[in-house]
Protein backbone atom coordinates (compact mmCIF):
# COMPACT_ATOMS: atom_id res chain seq x y z
CA UNK A 1 0.00 0.00 0.00
CA UNK A 2 2.90 2.36 0.66
CA UNK A 3 3.86 2.59 -3.03
CA UNK A 4 0.23 3.14 -3.97
CA UNK A 5 -0.11 6.00 -1.49
CA UNK A 6 3.24 7.47 -2.53
CA UNK A 7 2.00 7.36 -6.11
CA UNK A 8 -1.13 9.24 -5.03
CA UNK A 9 1.02 11.91 -3.39
CA UNK A 10 3.08 12.31 -6.56
CA UNK A 11 -0.10 12.38 -8.64
CA UNK A 12 -1.56 15.13 -6.49
CA UNK A 13 1.69 17.09 -6.89
CA UNK A 14 1.38 16.71 -10.70
CA UNK A 15 4.48 14.51 -10.86
CA UNK A 16 3.01 12.01 -13.30
CA UNK A 17 6.22 10.13 -14.12
CA UNK A 18 7.09 9.56 -10.48
CA UNK A 19 3.50 8.55 -9.69
CA UNK A 20 3.43 5.99 -12.49
CA UNK A 21 6.72 4.52 -11.29
CA UNK A 22 5.29 4.07 -7.79
CA UNK A 23 2.14 2.47 -9.19
CA UNK A 24 4.23 0.13 -11.34
CA UNK A 25 6.22 -0.84 -8.25
CA UNK A 26 2.98 -1.42 -6.33
CA UNK A 27 1.42 -3.76 -8.94
CA UNK A 28 3.45 -6.93 -8.20
CA UNK A 29 3.18 -6.27 -4.47
CA UNK A 30 -0.59 -5.98 -4.64
CA UNK A 31 -0.71 -9.16 -6.74
CA UNK A 32 1.40 -10.97 -4.15
CA UNK A 33 -1.01 -10.01 -1.35
CA UNK A 34 -3.97 -10.85 -3.59
CA UNK A 35 -5.55 -7.47 -2.76
CA UNK A 36 -7.74 -7.20 -5.86
CA UNK A 37 -9.39 -3.94 -4.82
CA UNK A 38 -6.02 -2.25 -4.32
CA UNK A 39 -4.78 -3.66 -7.62
CA UNK A 40 -7.83 -2.23 -9.39
CA UNK A 41 -7.19 1.18 -7.85
CA UNK A 42 -3.56 1.08 -8.94
CA UNK A 43 -4.55 0.14 -12.49
CA UNK A 44 -7.15 2.92 -12.63
CA UNK A 45 -4.77 5.57 -11.34
CA UNK A 46 -1.91 4.49 -13.61
CA UNK A 47 -4.26 4.40 -16.59
CA UNK A 48 -5.48 7.90 -15.83
CA UNK A 49 -1.92 9.21 -15.64
CA UNK A 50 -0.99 7.49 -18.89
CA UNK A 51 -4.03 9.13 -20.46
CA UNK A 52 -3.00 12.57 -19.15
CA UNK A 53 0.40 12.08 -20.76
CA UNK A 54 -1.26 11.17 -24.07
CA UNK A 55 0.04 7.59 -23.77
CA UNK A 56 -3.21 6.21 -25.10
CA UNK A 57 -2.06 2.65 -25.82
CA UNK A 58 -0.62 2.21 -22.32
CA UNK A 59 -3.74 3.75 -20.81
CA UNK A 60 -5.99 1.43 -22.78
CA UNK A 61 -3.97 -1.65 -21.83
CA UNK A 62 -4.02 -0.92 -18.13
CA UNK A 63 -7.69 0.14 -18.17
CA UNK A 64 -8.48 -3.26 -19.69
CA UNK A 65 -6.77 -4.90 -16.72
CA UNK A 66 -8.78 -2.72 -14.33
CA UNK A 67 -11.99 -3.60 -16.15
CA UNK A 68 -11.21 -7.33 -16.05
CA UNK A 69 -10.59 -7.15 -12.29
CA UNK A 70 -13.77 -5.18 -11.68
CA UNK A 71 -15.82 -7.71 -13.63
CA UNK A 72 -14.23 -10.61 -11.72
CA UNK A 73 -15.06 -8.88 -8.44
CA UNK A 74 -18.57 -7.91 -9.64
CA UNK A 75 -17.58 -4.36 -8.77
CA UNK A 76 -19.34 -1.84 -10.98
CA UNK A 77 -17.76 1.06 -9.09
CA UNK A 78 -14.34 -0.22 -10.19
CA UNK A 79 -15.26 0.42 -13.81
CA UNK A 80 -15.21 4.19 -13.33
CA UNK A 81 -12.33 6.50 -12.60
CA UNK A 82 -12.29 8.40 -9.36
CA UNK A 83 -8.84 9.95 -9.11
CA UNK A 84 -9.63 11.15 -5.60
CA UNK A 85 -10.54 7.70 -4.27
CA UNK A 86 -7.73 6.42 -2.06
CA UNK A 87 -9.68 3.71 -0.28
CA UNK A 88 -8.10 0.27 -0.16
Amino acid sequence: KAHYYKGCIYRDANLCGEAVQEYLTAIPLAKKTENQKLLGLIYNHAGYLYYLQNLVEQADSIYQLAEKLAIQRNDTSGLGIDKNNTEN
Side-chain angles (χ1 to χ4, degrees):
K1 291 182 187 179
H3 289 286
Y4 166 72
Y5 286 120
K6 191 173 181 183
C8 292
I9 291 167
Y10 282 139
R11 181 204 64 214
D12 291 347
N14 293 318
L15 299 170
C16 291
E18 291 87 342
V20 169
Q21 285 303 313
E22 290 300 326
Y23 293 142
L24 294 177
T25 300
I27 289 171
L29 300 171
K31 286 181 179 179
K32 187 175 182 179
T33 64
E34 298 181 6
N35 187 335
Q36 299 298 309
K37 184 173 183 176
L38 176 61
L39 189 57
L41 288 170
I42 294 166
Y43 286 153
N44 269 326
H45 288 286
Y48 179 72
L49 293 176
Y50 281 138
Y51 171 77
L52 288 179
Q53 297 175 80
N54 204 29
L55 299 170
V56 180
E57 289 181 23
Q58 291 92 328
D60 184 57
S61 293
I62 206 157
Y63 277 143
Q64 287 181 28
L65 294 172
E67 179 183 29
K68 184 177 177 181
L69 269 181
I71 291 168
Q72 288 173 351
R73 295 181 64 239
N74 198 26
D75 179 10
T76 56
S77 68
L79 295 174
I81 302 168
D82 181 3
K83 71 178 190 122
N84 295 313
N85 183 0
T86 57
E87 291 182 30
N88 47 14

